Amino acid sequence: DIGVYFEANGHGTVIVQPKAFQAIKNVLDNSPTPEQKQACQRLLAFVKVVNQAVGDAISLLLAVEGVLACMDMTIDDWVK
């Protein structure tokens, strides 16, 4: 339901199917635990940053930065 595509030229994108959006929203609508709520909110924010129509390197860089921040990591930590 969520696909990540990489191209040899460094481009790529993330594709999220409508049923994945709905599954996330269903969790939010059904009294999630605080951890589930935070995870769903992060997923929805991630999807809003990524441009699904084209392989937008800037939006993907921002998405990676966001994921690393959630993991309390830096880019330097990631490449080690």
Side-chain angles (χ1 to χ4, degrees):
D1 295 334
I2 299 175
V4 178
Y5 297 90
F6 295 99
E7 298 175 17
N9 62 5
H11 292 252
T13 193
V14 176
I15 304 295
V16 181
Q17 297 296 320
K19 65 180 178 177
F21 280 115
Q22 192 56 51
I24 295 167
K25 290 177 183 175
N26 286 345
V27 172
L28 287 173
D29 291 341
N30 290 301
S31 303
T33 65
E35 293 84 7
Q36 289 172 324
K37 183 177 181 179
Q38 182 182 45
C40 289
Q41 289 172 333
R42 286 180 174 178
L43 279 171
L44 291 175
F46 176 83
V47 172
K48 288 179 183 178
V49 170
V50 175
N51 184 339
Q52 295 187 62
V54 296
D56 179 2
I58 298 297
S59 69
L60 291 176
L61 177 63
L62 292 172
V64 167
E65 284 279 1
V67 170
L68 290 174
C70 288
M71 297 175 67
D72 199 26
M73 293 175 64
T74 65
I75 288 180
D76 290 334
D77 295 331
W78 186 34
V79 298
K80 290 181 184 177

